[in-house]
């Protein structure tokens, strides 16, 4: 359970950094508390997408992983971020990613920040 909370906090922090750095990834809303709650829900959605959909996509694109020496991971991360943005829209959350290339850069930022936060934060159960 503690590992799940740490991963969610790391995802929320990584998403917050991407929102802060990229003007085309938006999180709108009223108060700061509402934005934080929305960010946590979006982080949960992002974690769910990465847990359920990403392994299936990676398995189906295994030949492309080999052919591109793993660079297809950037595209897959971007697609997972775009899927999270679409799901957030379905749940009336005020999170949106505008465009594929923004998603590629956002996915790269989220991967780096999430990795750094997972190194710093404790992860034992």
């Amino acid at each position: 359970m503690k590992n799940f909370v740490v991963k969610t906090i790391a995802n929320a922090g990584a998403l917050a950094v991407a929102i802060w750095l990229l003007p085309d990834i938006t999180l709108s809303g009223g108060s700061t508390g509402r934005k934080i709650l929305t960010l946590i829900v979006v982080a949960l959605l992002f974690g769910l997408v990465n847990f359920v959909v990403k392994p299936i996509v990676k398995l189906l694109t295994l030949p492309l992983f080999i052919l591109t020496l793993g660079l297809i991971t950037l595209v897959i991360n971007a697609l997972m971020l775009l899927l999270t943005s679409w799901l957030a829209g379905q749940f009336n959350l005020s999170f949106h990613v505008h465009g594929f290339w923004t998603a590629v850069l956002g996915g790269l930022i989220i991967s780096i920040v999430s990795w750094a936060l997972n190194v710093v934060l404790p992860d034992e159960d």
Side-chain angles (χ1 to χ4, degrees):
M1 181 65 175
K2 186 176 180 182
N3 192 20
F4 173 74
V5 172
V6 168
K7 297 266 186 213
T8 301
I9 291 170
N11 275 342
L15 284 165
V17 170
I19 291 165
W20 178 61
L21 289 175
L22 299 174
D24 286 339
I25 298 179
T26 58
L27 178 71
S28 56
S31 65
T32 303
R34 176 109 172 116
K35 285 182 181 179
I36 291 172
L37 182 63
T38 301
L39 185 62
I40 291 170
V41 173
V42 169
L44 287 170
L45 275 175
F46 188 65
L48 185 65
V49 165
N50 280 326
F51 181 74
V52 175
V53 178
K54 191 173 183 177
I56 296 167
V57 172
K58 283 178 112 174
L59 181 65
L60 293 175
T61 59
L62 186 61
L64 287 175
F65 270 98
I66 296 167
L67 186 65
T68 64
L69 301 175
L71 289 176
I72 194 71
T73 304
L74 292 172
V75 174
I76 292 173
N77 287 343
L79 293 174
M80 297 305 108
L81 189 58
L82 287 171
L83 179 59
T84 302
S85 175
W86 179 79
L87 285 172
Q90 298 302 309
F91 289 111
N92 281 334
L93 298 171
S94 56
F95 173 78
H96 190 68
V97 178
H98 303 276
F100 175 76
W101 293 109
T102 301
V104 170
L105 190 54
L108 183 62
I109 291 169
I110 289 169
S111 295
I112 292 169
V113 173
S114 181
W115 170 80
L117 288 175
N118 281 315
V119 166
V120 173
L121 295 171
D123 64 349
E124 68 255 1
D125 283 331

